[in-house]
Amino acid sequence: MTLTDIAIQNLRRRKGKTLFLLLTFILVVAISVTLNSLAKNMQADLQKSLTQYGANVVITPKSEQFTLSYGGLSVPGVNYEVKHLSAEALTQLKSYPDLMLNSIAPKIIGSASSADNRYLIIGVDFPSEVKMKPWWHIEGRFPLEQEVLIGYGLAKQENLVIGDTLELNRRIYPIVGIMQSTGGSEDNGVFTDFSTARWITGIDSWSMIELNTAQPANTAALLSKVLPDAKVSEISQLVQGTQENIDRFTSFSLLSSLILGLIAILIIFVTTTGNINDRITEIGIFRAIGFRRQHIFAIFIREILLISLAGGIIGYLLGILTSALIAPMVLQKSMSFAFHPFIALTAIGASVIIGIVSILFPAWLAINIDPVEALSSI
Amino acid sequence: MSLIKVCEVNKSYGVGDKIVEALSNINLEINQGEFLALMGPSGSGKSTLLSIIGGLTPPTSGTLQIDDIDVYALDSERLADFRHEYVGFVFQQYQLIPYLTALENVMLPLAITSRPGKEQREMALTVLDKVGLRSKSLRLPNQLSGGEQNRVAIARAIVNRPAIIFADEPTGSLDSKTAKELLELFQTLNKDGLTIIMVTHNEENLAWVNRAIYIRDGVLAQIP
Ligand SMILES: Nc1ncnc2c1ncn2[C@@H]1O[C@H](COP(=O)(O)OP(=O)(O)OP(=O)(O)O)[C@@H](O)[C@H]1O
Ligand SMILES: [Mg+2]
C-alpha cells in the first residue's frame, strides 16, 4: 500500500464528498471550455471568411462615372471616359513593407467587341489572383500570351468549350480554360494575362488593384494618403464589426472562466476545510503511527490531484460536447468536435491548479493536528 | 537492562487560568520484555503517562530515554520516525481508519516504508493470521465486531515489529471471554520478546502481567 492507495480508498469510500468535489470541477471546467471553444470557433470562422473574402482593400481610380462595386464589375462600354490608376501606383504600394499585405492583385479591366458582342476583358496575374481567391476552379489551364480563359456564364451563353476561339477586336484568341461558376462577375469575364489585356484594350496602366491585408482599416487609411489620386476603399466594415463582437465575447468568456475558477477555489476551500473536522481522528491515527507531516500532506495533495485531474478531463470533454451541441443555436452553424490542444491543456491545468490552491490551507491545518488531542483518548 | 527510562517527568495542563498537574515527578524504568500494567483511578494520569512514554506528548519537564535515545530532544518529524520504528499503539476505541479494510488498516504503518506492496501484504496477512482474522481481512471496520476491530488494531500495532506496544484499556469494552483471548494474545507476543505496557482498571488482568504500577493523582505509588 502506498500513500496514493490511501488517497484512492478515501475517495472511493467517501463517495458523496468525492462526487461533490468532482462535480464542482466538472461544471467549472465544462462551462469555461464551452464558452472559450465557442469564442475560438468564432475567431476561426472569421479568420476563414477574411481570407476567403479575398480582397479586403480595393484601389480604384477617382472617377465619378466609373462605379465599381466588386459584386458587379461595371463595364466600360457604357462609359468610355474611364480613368485609370497611374502606372506607378503598384510600385509605390510595394515600397511600403509595413502595410502587412498578404497579396496584391492588380488588374486591367476594359472591353472588347466581336461582330455581334461586347466582352469584359480582365487582365490579371494568375498566380496572385489564385492566391487571393482560392475558390477559383479552372477547367483546362491558365492562358499564356495571346490566349484567353472565359467565365462559366459566358461559355454557357455562347456555347463555347475549351479549344474554341473568341474574336476580340478583330483578332482571334484560343480559349484554353473555363472558370467554374463563382456566382460573381467573373462568370461573364474574359481573362488574359497583362500583356494580352493591354494589347486588346490599349490600357497601359492599372484599372484597379485588389489587396489582402491583415489590417484593412490601417492600410486603407495609409494608402489614401500615399495615393491621393486613387480611391481606396475598405470592403470589410462588416467583418470589422463582427470582429469587435467576437473580441467582446472572447473577453467575456475569459472573464467568466476566471470568476468560475475563483468560485471553485472558494467552494473547494470551504468544503475541504469543513471536512478536516471529520478527519481529525484519522489524521491523529496517521500521526500516532508515525506518519510525518509530509506524508499527511502528500495524501491530501494526491486526493485533490486525482479529483481535479478527473474533473478537468471530464469537464473538458463535456465542454467540447456542449459547445458542439449549442453551436448551431449560437453560431447559426454546426461546429465539429475540434480538439484544441491549448484549450485542453489550459482547462485541465487550470483545474489542477484550482485544486492545489484551494487545498493548501486545509492541508496545512491537517498536518498541524496534534495526534493526542485528535484522538482525545488514546 | 532497562529499555525505557522515565526521569523526573512532570506534566501540567493549562485549563483556563488554572494549571492542572497531571503528573508529578515520575521516575520509572521498564525493562526489555516486560509486560507491565498501569493502574489507578480515573483521572489519575494513566493515559497521560502512556502517551508521554509512547512519544506522543512531550512532558512539561523531565526526560524520556528509550533505547538510549533522548526521545523528546527529537524534532517532531524525527519523533514521528521514532514512533514508527519503536512503538505500536492499541487505542481504546481501536481507532481504525473507516475507509480502509482490515488488511489495509494493518498495512498502514508499512505504507510509509519502501517495502514493495507484495511484501506489505504478506506481512499484514501474517499478523492478521496471528490475531485470527485472516478470513475477514477484506472487511471494512464497520463490518467487524468490537473485539475483531480490537484485534485488527493489535495487528496494526505489531506489523512493523516495534519494540514496545502501548495499550490503553484494551479490554475496557470487551466481554470477559474476548478480553481473555486478547490477554492471551498479548502474552504470546510478550513471550516473543515484545515489551507491552497496558493501562487497565481491571484487577483480574493482573494475572497476565509481570509487574503492575499504580498511579494516584499524578504520583507513582509502586505497590508490591
Ligand atoms: N488535554 C488536556 N487538557 C487539560 N487537562 C487534561 C488534558 N488531558 C488530561 N488532562 C487532565 O489530566 C489528568 C489526567 O488525565 P488522564 O487522561 O491521564 O487520566 P486517566 O488516568 O487516563 O483517566 P481515565 O482512567 O479516566 O482514562 C486529568 O485530571 C485530566 O483532566
Ligand atoms: Mg485514560
Side-chain angles (χ1 to χ4, degrees):
Chain A
M1 195 164 64
T2 61
L3 297 178
T4 308
D5 296 328
I6 298 175
I8 291 173
Q9 300 299 38
N10 178 32
L11 296 179
R12 258 186 59 199
R13 299 208 175 107
R14 284 179 172 155
K15 286 203 175 65
K17 279 166 189 158
T18 304
L19 219 60
F20 175 80
L21 287 180
L22 194 63
L23 275 179
T24 308
F25 280 108
I26 291 176
L27 270 182
V28 165
V29 173
I31 295 173
S32 302
V33 166
T34 303
L35 289 175
N36 286 297
S37 344
L38 283 178
K40 198 165 178 81
N41 263 273
M42 288 176 173
Q43 286 284 13
D45 262 16
L46 183 70
Q47 222 58 51
K48 216 153 111 192
S49 67
L50 267 181
T51 52
Q52 278 195 345
Y53 206 90
N56 49 21
V57 173
V58 178
I59 306 169
T60 52
K62 262 192 185 148
S63 154
E64 307 281 300
Q65 295 102 327
F66 191 84
T67 48
L68 189 139
S69 67
Y70 191 62
L73 290 163
S74 296
V75 194
V78 213
N79 182 351
Y80 292 95
E81 286 301 312
V82 178
K83 289 185 183 173
H84 297 285
L85 293 167
S86 74
E88 293 86 65
L90 192 62
T91 347
Q92 270 177 290
L93 209 61
K94 286 179 174 164
S95 64
Y96 281 88
D98 42 328
L99 286 178
M100 313 249 297
L101 299 177
N102 297 326
S103 51
I104 305 173
K107 285 177 191 59
I108 297 165
I109 299 169
S111 64
S113 50
S114 67
D116 41 29
N117 234 326
R118 263 185 122 42
Y119 298 99
L120 169 66
I121 308 296
I122 308 166
V124 298
D125 173 44
F126 285 99
S128 322
E129 212 67 26
V130 169
K131 187 177 164 205
M132 193 178 284
K133 293 158 187 170
W135 59 88
W136 275 16
H137 287 293
I138 309 294
E139 191 190 321
R141 61 173 171 84
F142 289 126
L144 302 172
E145 216 162 313
Q146 303 298 323
E147 295 175 338
V148 301
L149 177 149
I150 60 172
Y152 177 81
L154 183 61
K156 257 231 134 142
Q157 189 189 315
E158 309 249 313
N159 247 328
L160 295 170
V161 292
I162 293 170
D164 288 351
T165 58
L166 201 61
E167 184 200 334
L168 299 166
N169 291 353
R170 263 168 271 122
R171 259 190 86 118
I172 303 290
Y173 297 89
I175 299 169
V176 299
I178 293 174
M179 189 189 298
Q180 282 177 19
S181 182
T182 63
S185 37
E186 290 97 342
D187 282 2
N188 292 310
V190 176
F191 293 84
T192 70
D193 66 7
F194 288 142
S195 61
T196 313
R198 288 206 173 96
W199 174 277
I200 298 172
T201 62
I203 300 168
D204 54 4
S205 65
W206 309 111
S207 310
M208 70 185 286
I209 303 172
E210 290 181 306
L211 304 175
N212 182 292
T213 160
Q215 298 169 328
N218 295 351
T219 306
L222 182 64
L223 284 180
S224 306
K225 288 192 200 111
V226 177
L227 306 169
D229 297 332
K231 185 171 151 223
V232 181
S233 5
E234 186 196 340
I235 47 173
S236 61
Q237 252 98 26
L238 200 118
V239 174
Q240 205 61 35
T242 316
Q243 176 75 58
E244 271 163 28
N245 280 336
I246 292 179
D247 284 349
R248 227 169 276 148
F249 182 69
T250 307
S251 314
F252 164 77
S253 306
L254 285 175
L255 192 70
S256 310
S257 309
L258 201 72
I259 294 171
L260 280 171
L262 290 176
I263 293 175
I265 289 181
L266 205 68
I267 293 177
I268 297 156
F269 170 83
V270 169
T271 46
T272 43
T273 308
N275 285 348
I276 291 289
N277 285 326
D278 303 342
R279 302 184 70 174
I280 283 182
T281 316
E282 167 192 335
I283 293 158
I285 298 169
F286 288 140
R287 294 287 282 148
I289 284 177
F291 279 46
R292 288 176 161 214
R293 290 202 168 89
Q294 70 189 53
H295 294 131
I296 313 272
F297 189 76
I299 293 175
F300 271 73
I301 289 289
R302 279 163 170 74
E303 286 173 9
I304 205 70
L305 271 181
L306 288 169
I307 299 188
S308 60
L309 211 60
I313 292 169
I314 300 173
Y316 170 74
L317 294 175
L318 199 68
I320 51 172
L321 185 76
T322 313
S323 59
L325 287 178
I326 66 170
M329 289 174 250
V330 183
L331 305 180
Q332 270 91 45
K333 73 176 220 22
S334 69
M335 198 173 107
S336 53
F337 292 81
F339 173 72
H340 299 299
F342 178 73
I343 293 190
L345 280 180
T346 313
I348 297 167
S351 181
V352 169
I353 290 171
I354 287 172
I356 290 178
V357 165
S358 36
I359 204 74
L360 285 179
F361 177 70
W364 179 81
L365 285 184
I367 64 175
N368 285 304
I369 284 174
D370 173 11
V372 175
E373 278 180 21
L375 298 171
S376 63
S377 134
I378 61 163
Chain B
M1 210 337 253
S2 60
L3 175 67
I4 302 170
K5 278 187 205 151
V6 181
C7 196
E8 310 278 318
V9 159
N10 289 282
K11 179 72 184 177
S12 49
Y13 293 105
V15 183
D17 310 340
K18 286 210 265 174
I19 289 177
V20 179
E21 283 284 328
L23 295 174
S24 326
N25 199 28
I26 305 284
N27 286 290
L28 180 64
E29 291 198 10
I30 300 164
N31 290 328
Q32 152 77 43
E34 267 196 281
F35 187 178
L36 186 86
L38 189 54
M39 301 194 71
S42 184
S44 57
K46 304 182 296 294
S47 297
T48 306
L49 182 57
L50 199 72
S51 72
I52 287 176
I53 306 176
L56 279 173
T57 311
T60 313
S61 66
T63 57
L64 168 73
Q65 284 205 345
I66 294 182
D67 210 7
D68 290 329
I69 299 168
D70 185 353
V71 175
Y72 288 106
L74 303 172
D75 66 36
S76 77
E77 298 301 78
R78 290 276 134 59
L79 194 57
D81 295 345
F82 166 83
R83 286 194 296 268
H84 185 244
E85 191 179 340
Y86 279 86
V87 175
F89 289 100
V90 180
F91 306 103
Q92 189 173 1
Q93 281 102 353
Y94 324 133
Q95 307 290 22
L96 301 178
I97 306 283
Y99 54 81
L100 297 178
T101 62
L103 180 67
E104 288 162 348
N105 262 288
V106 175
M107 278 155 72
L108 218 47
L110 306 175
I112 53 174
T113 65
S114 55
R115 292 178 197 279
K118 196 163 170 265
E119 190 185 337
Q120 291 186 21
R121 259 180 78 87
E122 272 163 19
M123 289 173 75
L125 284 172
T126 309
V127 288
L128 274 171
D129 207 22
K130 224 178 224 174
V131 300
L133 276 179
R134 195 188 173 108
S135 60
K136 294 181 177 172
S137 62
L138 295 181
R139 295 208 190 169
L140 289 172
N142 62 10
Q143 297 165 329
L144 294 169
S145 74
E148 287 168 342
Q149 290 183 46
N150 202 349
R151 282 187 276 159
V152 173
I154 293 168
R156 186 178 66 191
I158 60 175
V159 72
N160 201 31
R161 301 183 186 127
I164 315 153
I165 293 281
F166 293 91
D168 197 348
E169 306 205 34
T171 59
S173 51
L174 300 181
D175 62 52
S176 56
K177 180 170 166 281
T178 323
K180 185 168 165 274
E181 284 169 7
L182 179 130
L183 289 164
E184 276 168 1
L185 178 61
F186 270 176
Q187 202 170 47
T188 317
L189 294 170
N190 177 243
K191 288 210 171 101
D192 290 345
L194 212 59
T195 306
I196 301 176
I197 301 168
M198 172 178 77
V199 168
T200 180
H201 266 118
N202 195 339
E203 300 273 344
E204 286 175 32
N205 291 346
L206 293 185
W208 305 89
V209 303
N210 311 136
R211 176 157 73 119
I213 50 174
Y214 291 82
I215 186 167
R216 185 176 294 270
D217 294 333
V219 180
L220 272 193
Q222 214 132 357
I223 286 173

